[in-house]
Amino acid sequence: MPQIPRLEPNTPIEQMTQALDEAGCLVITNAFESELRGRVAQAMRPHLDSLPAEWIDADDPEAFYPGKTRRAIAIVERAEAAWPLICHPISTALCQHHLGPQCEQPQLHVTGALEVAPGARAQCLHREEDLFPFFPVPRPNLILASMWAVTEFTADNGGTLLVPGSHRWPTERKTKPEEIVAAEMPAGSVLYWLGGTLHGAGANVSRNRRFGLILTYSVGWLRQEENQSLSITPQTVGRLPNELKALVGREPHGGLGFFDPRVIPAD
Ligand SMILES: O=C(O)CCC(=O)C(=O)O
């Protein structure tokens, strides 16, 4: 039975990178506290609650997100409480190891609050790197994803399903049911997976909502999946710590992405 490795935050980083390299996924328990989880959830609540009902209730079997899944992006703008998670030292170290050799500086790729409500079906298994099919596999890591468990994740409530080891599979290899594992983790844990690892939200057959914060990173020269330039106002850019400012793309990557700051000045 394949397994998702599980480590504590004080584990040496070399052990974390090795586990992630081997399994393509990794859970770190006790990564963020209840008070911070509450502030992230509170900041995102109005954005999740104001989504049109017809977006949430309809379940188009072809849609990437199943019905009864609420998704709100633009976390940098909407949830300042999440800034320390985006720049978390473990994420930074894992990005440096898994993405650093392929670029000058990793960048923020996607941010979102993902709430899976009772009755949601499972999401189709996919790879974050499916949007970049231009290289033969195995390809170098382009993306590192994280899912911060604001609530508990269980096999019943939509906990993320992963296929450990699938980051090393040839494209045509099909997943067998016994190769799929739910990332069961207490609230306050964080799940990491590589851009080549098959995964998707599980079905929610429980009575509770599953709430997670997805934060993904990519090599700094790739087109960001979420357009951070249009997701963050100049007022917020002006308040970002330098590390986060660089992550969202306000620092050029080598010769790429230059701009004249007088055109849209950060407040
Ligand atoms: O909600 C989850 O557990 C997974 C979400 C996901 O795979 C995605 O948004 O790409």
Side-chain angles (χ1 to χ4, degrees), residues 134-173:
F134 312 102
F135 307 92
V137 291
R139 56 185 157 235
N141 293 319
L142 301 177
I143 296 173
L144 172 73
S146 63
M147 176 70 83
W148 295 79
V150 176
T151 63
E152 179 188 30
F153 275 41
T154 67
D156 283 352
N157 78 0
T160 311
L161 302 174
L162 289 119
V163 185
S166 54
H167 59 308
R168 295 192 173 146
W169 288 6
T171 322
E172 62 283 0
R173 180 166 163 186

Short mmCIF file of all heavy atoms in Angstrom, two decimals, residues 134-173:
data_model
loop_
_atom_site.label_atom_id
_atom_site.label_comp_id
_atom_site.label_asym_id
_atom_site.label_seq_id
_atom_site.Cartn_x
_atom_site.Cartn_y
_atom_site.Cartn_z
N PHE A 134 4.85 20.78 -22.63
CA PHE A 134 5.77 21.01 -23.75
C PHE A 134 7.11 20.30 -23.62
O PHE A 134 7.95 20.41 -24.48
CB PHE A 134 5.98 22.52 -23.93
CG PHE A 134 4.69 23.27 -23.95
CD1 PHE A 134 4.26 23.98 -22.85
CD2 PHE A 134 3.86 23.22 -25.07
CE1 PHE A 134 3.04 24.65 -22.85
CE2 PHE A 134 2.64 23.88 -25.07
CZ PHE A 134 2.23 24.59 -23.95
N PHE A 135 7.33 19.64 -22.49
CA PHE A 135 8.59 18.93 -22.30
C PHE A 135 8.29 17.44 -22.19
O PHE A 135 7.27 17.06 -21.62
CB PHE A 135 9.26 19.33 -20.98
CG PHE A 135 9.44 20.81 -20.81
CD1 PHE A 135 8.48 21.56 -20.17
CD2 PHE A 135 10.59 21.43 -21.25
CE1 PHE A 135 8.64 22.92 -20.00
CE2 PHE A 135 10.76 22.78 -21.09
CZ PHE A 135 9.79 23.54 -20.46
N PRO A 136 9.19 16.60 -22.69
CA PRO A 136 8.98 15.15 -22.47
C PRO A 136 9.14 14.84 -20.98
O PRO A 136 9.86 15.56 -20.28
CB PRO A 136 10.11 14.51 -23.28
CG PRO A 136 11.11 15.57 -23.53
CD PRO A 136 10.42 16.90 -23.42
N VAL A 137 8.46 13.81 -20.48
CA VAL A 137 8.67 13.38 -19.09
C VAL A 137 9.70 12.25 -19.08
O VAL A 137 9.80 11.51 -20.07
CB VAL A 137 7.35 12.90 -18.42
CG1 VAL A 137 6.42 14.05 -18.20
CG2 VAL A 137 6.71 11.78 -19.19
N PRO A 138 10.48 12.07 -18.03
CA PRO A 138 10.46 12.92 -16.84
C PRO A 138 11.09 14.29 -17.13
O PRO A 138 12.08 14.38 -17.82
CB PRO A 138 11.33 12.13 -15.86
CG PRO A 138 12.25 11.33 -16.72
CD PRO A 138 11.50 11.02 -17.97
N ARG A 139 10.43 15.35 -16.59
CA ARG A 139 10.95 16.70 -16.79
C ARG A 139 11.43 17.24 -15.45
O ARG A 139 11.04 16.71 -14.40
CB ARG A 139 9.89 17.60 -17.39
CG ARG A 139 8.64 17.66 -16.58
CD ARG A 139 7.54 18.48 -17.28
NE ARG A 139 6.25 18.08 -16.77
CZ ARG A 139 5.25 17.65 -17.53
NH1 ARG A 139 5.37 17.58 -18.82
NH2 ARG A 139 4.12 17.29 -16.97
N PRO A 140 12.23 18.29 -15.47
CA PRO A 140 12.63 18.85 -14.18
C PRO A 140 11.41 19.41 -13.45
O PRO A 140 10.40 19.74 -14.08
CB PRO A 140 13.60 19.98 -14.57
CG PRO A 140 13.49 20.15 -16.03
CD PRO A 140 12.78 18.99 -16.62
N ASN A 141 11.48 19.50 -12.12
CA ASN A 141 10.35 20.05 -11.37
C ASN A 141 10.08 21.49 -11.79
O ASN A 141 10.99 22.31 -11.80
CB ASN A 141 10.65 20.06 -9.87
CG ASN A 141 10.76 18.66 -9.32
OD1 ASN A 141 9.98 17.79 -9.68
ND2 ASN A 141 11.74 18.44 -8.46
N LEU A 142 8.83 21.75 -12.14
CA LEU A 142 8.44 23.13 -12.49
C LEU A 142 7.60 23.75 -11.38
O LEU A 142 7.54 24.97 -11.26
CB LEU A 142 7.62 23.12 -13.79
CG LEU A 142 8.30 22.53 -15.04
CD1 LEU A 142 7.33 22.53 -16.21
CD2 LEU A 142 9.56 23.31 -15.38
N ILE A 143 6.91 22.89 -10.63
CA ILE A 143 5.93 23.39 -9.65
C ILE A 143 6.04 22.61 -8.35
O ILE A 143 6.29 21.40 -8.36
CB ILE A 143 4.49 23.24 -10.23
CG1 ILE A 143 4.34 24.12 -11.48
CG2 ILE A 143 3.42 23.61 -9.20
CD1 ILE A 143 3.04 23.93 -12.23
N LEU A 144 5.86 23.34 -7.26
CA LEU A 144 5.73 22.73 -5.93
C LEU A 144 4.41 23.24 -5.35
O LEU A 144 4.17 24.45 -5.37
CB LEU A 144 6.89 23.14 -5.03
CG LEU A 144 6.76 22.72 -3.58
CD1 LEU A 144 6.99 21.22 -3.42
CD2 LEU A 144 7.73 23.48 -2.69
N ALA A 145 3.57 22.34 -4.87
CA ALA A 145 2.26 22.74 -4.35
C ALA A 145 2.20 22.49 -2.85
O ALA A 145 2.86 21.58 -2.34
CB ALA A 145 1.16 21.95 -5.05
N SER A 146 1.40 23.31 -2.16
CA SER A 146 1.15 23.05 -0.74
C SER A 146 -0.33 23.23 -0.46
O SER A 146 -1.01 24.02 -1.13
CB SER A 146 1.97 24.00 0.14
OG SER A 146 1.60 25.34 -0.06
N MET A 147 -0.83 22.47 0.51
CA MET A 147 -2.22 22.60 0.96
C MET A 147 -2.20 22.69 2.48
O MET A 147 -1.82 21.73 3.16
CB MET A 147 -3.02 21.38 0.51
CG MET A 147 -4.45 21.36 1.01
SD MET A 147 -5.48 22.61 0.24
CE MET A 147 -5.92 21.78 -1.29
N TRP A 148 -2.59 23.86 2.99
CA TRP A 148 -2.57 24.09 4.44
C TRP A 148 -3.94 23.70 5.00
O TRP A 148 -4.96 24.25 4.57
CB TRP A 148 -2.24 25.56 4.72
CG TRP A 148 -0.84 25.90 4.26
CD1 TRP A 148 -0.44 26.17 2.98
CD2 TRP A 148 0.34 25.96 5.07
NE1 TRP A 148 0.92 26.39 2.96
CE2 TRP A 148 1.42 26.29 4.22
CE3 TRP A 148 0.59 25.79 6.44
CZ2 TRP A 148 2.73 26.43 4.68
CZ3 TRP A 148 1.89 25.94 6.90
CH2 TRP A 148 2.95 26.26 6.03
N ALA A 149 -3.93 22.76 5.92
CA ALA A 149 -5.19 22.22 6.45
C ALA A 149 -5.73 23.15 7.53
O ALA A 149 -5.29 23.13 8.68
CB ALA A 149 -4.96 20.82 7.02
N VAL A 150 -6.69 23.98 7.13
CA VAL A 150 -7.32 24.89 8.10
C VAL A 150 -8.28 24.07 8.98
O VAL A 150 -8.40 24.32 10.18
CB VAL A 150 -8.04 26.04 7.36
CG1 VAL A 150 -8.80 26.93 8.34
CG2 VAL A 150 -7.03 26.85 6.56
N THR A 151 -8.95 23.08 8.37
CA THR A 151 -9.70 22.09 9.15
C THR A 151 -8.98 20.75 9.00
O THR A 151 -8.09 20.62 8.14
CB THR A 151 -11.13 21.90 8.61
OG1 THR A 151 -11.03 21.38 7.26
CG2 THR A 151 -11.92 23.19 8.61
N GLU A 152 -9.43 19.81 9.76
CA GLU A 152 -8.90 18.45 9.59
C GLU A 152 -9.19 17.95 8.16
O GLU A 152 -10.23 18.31 7.59
CB GLU A 152 -9.63 17.57 10.61
CG GLU A 152 -9.25 16.13 10.58
CD GLU A 152 -10.17 15.31 11.50
OE1 GLU A 152 -11.35 15.68 11.68
OE2 GLU A 152 -9.68 14.29 12.00
N PHE A 153 -8.30 17.15 7.59
CA PHE A 153 -8.53 16.49 6.31
C PHE A 153 -8.67 14.99 6.60
O PHE A 153 -7.78 14.40 7.22
CB PHE A 153 -7.34 16.68 5.35
CG PHE A 153 -7.36 17.96 4.56
CD1 PHE A 153 -7.73 19.16 5.13
CD2 PHE A 153 -6.97 17.97 3.21
CE1 PHE A 153 -7.72 20.36 4.39
CE2 PHE A 153 -6.97 19.15 2.47
CZ PHE A 153 -7.34 20.33 3.06
N THR A 154 -9.77 14.38 6.14
CA THR A 154 -9.95 12.94 6.34
C THR A 154 -10.30 12.29 5.00
O THR A 154 -10.62 12.99 4.02
CB THR A 154 -11.10 12.65 7.34
OG1 THR A 154 -12.33 13.05 6.72
CG2 THR A 154 -10.92 13.39 8.65
N ALA A 155 -10.31 10.97 5.02
CA ALA A 155 -10.67 10.24 3.80
C ALA A 155 -12.15 10.46 3.47
O ALA A 155 -12.57 10.29 2.33
CB ALA A 155 -10.38 8.76 3.99
N ASP A 156 -12.95 10.86 4.48
CA ASP A 156 -14.40 11.04 4.28
C ASP A 156 -14.79 12.45 3.89
O ASP A 156 -15.85 12.67 3.32
CB ASP A 156 -15.14 10.74 5.60
CG ASP A 156 -15.24 9.26 5.84
OD1 ASP A 156 -14.87 8.51 4.93
OD2 ASP A 156 -15.70 8.89 6.95
N ASN A 157 -13.98 13.45 4.31
CA ASN A 157 -14.45 14.83 4.13
C ASN A 157 -13.83 15.56 2.94
O ASN A 157 -13.90 16.78 2.87
CB ASN A 157 -14.27 15.63 5.44
CG ASN A 157 -12.84 16.08 5.68
OD1 ASN A 157 -11.95 15.80 4.87
ND2 ASN A 157 -12.61 16.78 6.77
N GLY A 158 -13.24 14.80 2.03
CA GLY A 158 -12.68 15.46 0.84
C GLY A 158 -11.19 15.68 0.93
O GLY A 158 -10.63 16.43 0.13
N GLY A 159 -10.55 15.06 1.91
CA GLY A 159 -9.09 15.16 2.02
C GLY A 159 -8.44 14.87 0.67
O GLY A 159 -8.91 13.98 -0.06
N THR A 160 -7.39 15.60 0.34
CA THR A 160 -6.75 15.48 -0.98
C THR A 160 -6.31 14.03 -1.24
O THR A 160 -5.70 13.40 -0.37
CB THR A 160 -5.53 16.41 -1.05
OG1 THR A 160 -5.94 17.71 -0.60
CG2 THR A 160 -4.97 16.50 -2.47
N LEU A 161 -6.63 13.53 -2.41
CA LEU A 161 -6.18 12.19 -2.82
C LEU A 161 -4.87 12.34 -3.59
O LEU A 161 -4.75 13.24 -4.43
CB LEU A 161 -7.22 11.53 -3.74
CG LEU A 161 -8.61 11.36 -3.15
CD1 LEU A 161 -9.58 10.83 -4.22
CD2 LEU A 161 -8.58 10.43 -1.94
N LEU A 162 -3.92 11.47 -3.29
CA LEU A 162 -2.63 11.52 -3.98
C LEU A 162 -2.23 10.15 -4.48
O LEU A 162 -2.67 9.13 -3.91
CB LEU A 162 -1.54 12.03 -3.04
CG LEU A 162 -1.70 13.52 -2.74
CD1 LEU A 162 -1.92 13.72 -1.27
CD2 LEU A 162 -0.56 14.33 -3.26
N VAL A 163 -1.39 10.13 -5.49
CA VAL A 163 -0.83 8.88 -5.98
C VAL A 163 0.68 8.95 -5.76
O VAL A 163 1.42 9.48 -6.61
CB VAL A 163 -1.18 8.65 -7.47
CG1 VAL A 163 -0.69 7.27 -7.91
CG2 VAL A 163 -2.68 8.80 -7.71
N PRO A 164 1.14 8.49 -4.57
CA PRO A 164 2.58 8.57 -4.30
C PRO A 164 3.38 7.88 -5.39
O PRO A 164 2.99 6.80 -5.87
CB PRO A 164 2.72 7.86 -2.93
CG PRO A 164 1.37 7.98 -2.30
CD PRO A 164 0.39 7.92 -3.45
N GLY A 165 4.47 8.50 -5.77
CA GLY A 165 5.36 7.90 -6.79
C GLY A 165 4.99 8.26 -8.21
O GLY A 165 5.79 8.04 -9.13
N SER A 166 3.79 8.85 -8.44
CA SER A 166 3.33 9.07 -9.82
C SER A 166 4.11 10.20 -10.51
O SER A 166 4.00 10.36 -11.74
CB SER A 166 1.83 9.39 -9.84
OG SER A 166 1.55 10.47 -8.98
N HIS A 167 4.90 10.96 -9.76
CA HIS A 167 5.72 12.01 -10.40
C HIS A 167 6.82 11.39 -11.26
O HIS A 167 7.45 12.10 -12.03
CB HIS A 167 6.34 12.93 -9.33
CG HIS A 167 7.20 12.24 -8.32
ND1 HIS A 167 6.80 11.13 -7.61
CD2 HIS A 167 8.47 12.49 -7.91
CE1 HIS A 167 7.77 10.74 -6.81
NE2 HIS A 167 8.79 11.55 -6.97
N ARG A 168 7.03 10.09 -11.08
CA ARG A 168 8.09 9.44 -11.88
C ARG A 168 7.51 8.51 -12.94
O ARG A 168 8.22 7.76 -13.58
CB ARG A 168 9.01 8.64 -10.96
CG ARG A 168 9.76 9.56 -10.01
CD ARG A 168 10.88 8.82 -9.31
NE ARG A 168 11.68 9.73 -8.53
CZ ARG A 168 12.26 9.41 -7.37
NH1 ARG A 168 12.12 8.20 -6.88
NH2 ARG A 168 12.97 10.29 -6.74
N TRP A 169 6.22 8.53 -13.12
CA TRP A 169 5.59 7.61 -14.07
C TRP A 169 5.69 8.14 -15.50
O TRP A 169 5.63 9.35 -15.73
CB TRP A 169 4.10 7.47 -13.76
CG TRP A 169 3.77 6.69 -12.53
CD1 TRP A 169 4.64 6.18 -11.60
CD2 TRP A 169 2.46 6.37 -12.09
NE1 TRP A 169 3.94 5.55 -10.61
CE2 TRP A 169 2.59 5.65 -10.88
CE3 TRP A 169 1.17 6.60 -12.57
CZ2 TRP A 169 1.50 5.17 -10.16
CZ3 TRP A 169 0.08 6.13 -11.88
CH2 TRP A 169 0.25 5.40 -10.68
N PRO A 170 5.71 7.21 -16.48
CA PRO A 170 5.52 7.66 -17.86
C PRO A 170 4.09 8.18 -18.04
O PRO A 170 3.17 7.73 -17.33
CB PRO A 170 5.76 6.39 -18.69
CG PRO A 170 5.69 5.25 -17.74
CD PRO A 170 5.89 5.77 -16.35
N THR A 171 3.89 9.10 -18.97
CA THR A 171 2.59 9.77 -19.13
C THR A 171 1.44 8.77 -19.30
O THR A 171 0.33 8.99 -18.80
CB THR A 171 2.62 10.67 -20.40
OG1 THR A 171 3.89 11.27 -20.46
CG2 THR A 171 1.54 11.71 -20.38
N GLU A 172 1.69 7.67 -20.02
CA GLU A 172 0.58 6.78 -20.37
C GLU A 172 0.17 5.84 -19.23
O GLU A 172 -0.87 5.20 -19.29
CB GLU A 172 0.90 5.97 -21.64
CG GLU A 172 2.09 5.03 -21.57
CD GLU A 172 3.46 5.72 -21.67
OE1 GLU A 172 3.52 6.96 -21.80
OE2 GLU A 172 4.48 5.00 -21.57
N ARG A 173 0.96 5.78 -18.16
CA ARG A 173 0.62 4.82 -17.10
C ARG A 173 -0.66 5.22 -16.39
O ARG A 173 -0.84 6.36 -15.96
CB ARG A 173 1.77 4.72 -16.08
CG ARG A 173 1.43 3.73 -14.98
CD ARG A 173 2.58 3.33 -14.13
NE ARG A 173 2.06 2.73 -12.91
CZ ARG A 173 2.79 2.37 -11.89
NH1 ARG A 173 4.10 2.54 -11.91
NH2 ARG A 173 2.23 1.85 -10.81
#
